[in-house]
Amino acid sequence: MTHHVYSVTEIVGSSHEGVDDAIRNAVGRAAETVRHLEWFQVTEVRGQIKDGHVEHVQVGLKVGFRLEEPAR
């Protein structure tokens, strides 16, 4: 059985549509540049109000990615 080691970084996604869309935007963008993404944790939800309505939301995430095995 292989033992995995992970690194964790924080990112923020945003959306005019809602929290779920902001999460998907953040994870999708991170997946374009970071290999082996395996999990996320929502750490913060905040938003902007304009004229009494929610203009957009921002979601803070911690994302974990598995470190590659060293070459042998």
Side-chain angles (χ1 to χ4, degrees):
M1 178 175 176
T2 305
H3 298 280
H4 298 295
V5 175
Y6 297 86
S7 184
V8 178
T9 191
E10 294 188 50
I11 60 176
V12 176
S14 64
S15 171
H16 291 282
E17 303 302 316
V19 171
D20 185 67
D21 195 49
I23 292 169
R24 292 178 189 283
N25 288 341
V27 170
R29 178 64 180 92
E32 292 177 10
T33 58
V34 179
R35 292 191 301 264
H36 310 301
L37 282 174
E38 294 202 1
W39 57 267
F40 72 89
Q41 173 186 357
V42 173
T43 59
E44 184 175 18
V45 176
R46 61 181 173 266
Q48 178 187 19
I49 300 169
K50 184 175 180 182
D51 298 326
H53 300 284
V54 175
E55 178 67 14
H56 75 272
V57 296
Q58 291 182 330
V59 179
L61 304 169
K62 288 184 180 181
V63 291
F65 55 95
R66 184 174 28 86
L67 298 180
E68 294 180 343
E69 297 294 325
R72 296 182 191 243

